[in-house]
Amino acid sequence: MNTALRDGAAIPEIGFGTSPLKGKDAIRAVGSAIEAGYRLIDTAVNYENESEVGEAIRRSGVERAEFVVQSKIPGRDHAYDRAVASVRGSLSRLGLDQLDVGLIHWPNPSVDLYADAWRALVDLQRDGLVRVIGVSNFHPHHLARIVDVTGVVPAINQVEMHPYFPQVALRAEHERLGIITEAWSPLGKGMNAYGEAPVRDAAAAHGVSPAQAILRWHVQLGSVPLPKSENPQRQRENLDVYGFTLTDDELAAITGLARADGRRFGGDPDTHEEM
Ligand code: A2P
């Protein structure tokens, strides 16, 4: 199943998250994920595993054209020329001629150059080095600024999203602008969402695992989840969410787990810095 993007491209409805996998573990986990059927693979310069992702793709024997490989420009490389060099570096480490999806990893307010990085991605897309361009961890005001500077709307905004942090307002803005939401930490790792009644009840009603209920919630809301697992059985389980449909009430109950305090793992993009 694919999700259509504003620029005519399409990406799989579920992708594989690779942070914090490194070294041999990354090659092994990405390899088994590809065997399980993942074709959208999410990496970043700052994950320090692009070479391993490239290696796993080559070892898989699956045709290059089947993959959607996405990487992200770090905060230290937002200046225009550095952003171009950063993407070229990603291509070299991945062993690819073209990046399928290029994202700006964080807006990094103290650097205040994310609009320059966006101009670089717009030009890299024009020159064919990047197929689809987008951002990550952007608030609506960050989106507005880069659209203002370039007239180009990102195809994707990859943000933290899980039942405790369902991003209701941001997703409404994405819908208005025609942006696809990708979800990092889609399962809400370590925050016990599996044990919450709306998740447990939906899973029991459909005879699936709590993780499958949460991933199905993403797919039905139109967000593209990027679950990470090192375990081949869980990797398969996380793709196997097409044999059931959650009801509107089940979807709403899971979204209702949103914490009033906005509980999240990552920092607020207005203050959080990742170089
Ligand atoms: P593991 O790699 O041992 O499978 P998120 O993608 O939200 O960040 O969550 C990732 C965490 O959730 C990892 O620790 C992963 O552990 C675990 N995980 C991934 N898929 C499942 C699943 N289907 N059931 C239980 N835990 C899972």
Side-chain angles (χ1 to χ4, degrees):
M1 301 275 188
N2 280 324
T3 296
L5 303 178
R6 58 177 302 109
D7 52 11
I11 58 172
E13 285 185 355
I14 299 175
F16 186 68
T18 66
S19 173
L21 298 163
K22 287 206 172 61
K24 286 200 175 71
D25 290 344
I27 297 177
R28 190 181 323 114
V30 175
S32 62
I34 294 169
E35 263 175 50
Y38 292 85
R39 294 295 179 266
L40 168 58
I41 315 284
D42 180 69
T43 180
V45 171
N46 276 352
Y47 299 169
E48 297 176 353
N49 63 14
E50 289 174 306
S51 305
E52 288 79 3
V53 167
E55 182 65 27
I57 286 173
R58 278 187 298 281
R59 284 189 197 177
S60 74
V62 175
E63 262 191 59
R64 160 69 183 105
E66 282 196 27
F67 288 101
V68 176
V69 181
Q70 64 181 23
S71 194
K72 313 188 191 78
I73 301 171
R76 62 181 179 279
D77 288 340
H78 282 187
Y80 183 95
D81 289 346
R82 291 184 66 114
V84 171
S86 177
V87 169
R88 289 188 185 280
S90 290
L91 288 173
S92 149
R93 284 184 294 277
L94 285 159
L96 300 177
D97 300 329
Q98 187 191 46
L99 193 58
D100 296 290
V101 181
L103 307 176
I104 300 172
H105 205 152
W106 287 87
N108 282 91
S110 75
V111 177
D112 201 26
L113 287 175
Y114 61 86
D116 285 30
W118 184 244
R119 279 197 303 114
L121 278 176
V122 169
D123 289 351
L124 285 161
Q125 184 184 42
R126 180 200 61 205
D127 296 343
L129 264 72
V130 183
R131 197 153 64 82
V132 172
I133 56 175
V135 297
S136 185
N137 301 300
F138 272 40
H139 280 318
H141 72 92
H142 302 122
L143 295 171
R145 181 157 165 206
I146 61 172
V147 174
D148 198 40
V149 169
T150 60
V152 181
V153 178
I156 292 168
N157 187 13
Q158 182 187 130
V159 295
E160 175 173 355
M161 176 175 163
H162 43 72
Y164 292 130
F165 201 68
Q167 296 278 22
V168 175
L170 182 65
R171 284 189 291 109
E173 180 67 359
H174 285 172
E175 195 155 331
R176 195 179 71 76
L177 292 168
I179 296 173
I180 292 297
T181 309
E182 283 187 350
W184 62 261
S185 275
L187 296 167
K189 63 182 161 210
M191 285 209 292
N192 303 320
Y194 301 150
E196 298 282 2
V199 173
R200 237 182 27 223
D201 293 351
H206 298 281
V208 297
S209 72
Q212 286 172 313
I214 293 174
L215 293 167
R216 182 72 204 179
W217 169 80
H218 281 282
V219 168
Q220 285 184 234
L221 293 182
S223 94
V224 174
L226 306 168
K228 168 260 167 193
S229 177
E230 290 179 67
N231 177 304
Q233 193 269 324
R234 287 199 283 273
Q235 291 175 345
R236 285 192 297 275
E237 173 186 327
N238 293 347
L239 278 182
D240 182 16
V241 300
Y242 293 97
F244 66 105
T245 304
L246 299 176
T247 65
D248 289 346
D249 285 350
E250 288 167 338
L251 291 175
I254 295 174
T255 305
L257 289 170
R259 295 294 175 98
D261 62 3
R263 187 169 167 189
R264 64 199 296 172
F265 311 117
D268 184 319
D270 273 333
T271 49
H272 182 75
E273 302 288 350
E274 267 189 33
M275 297 302 162

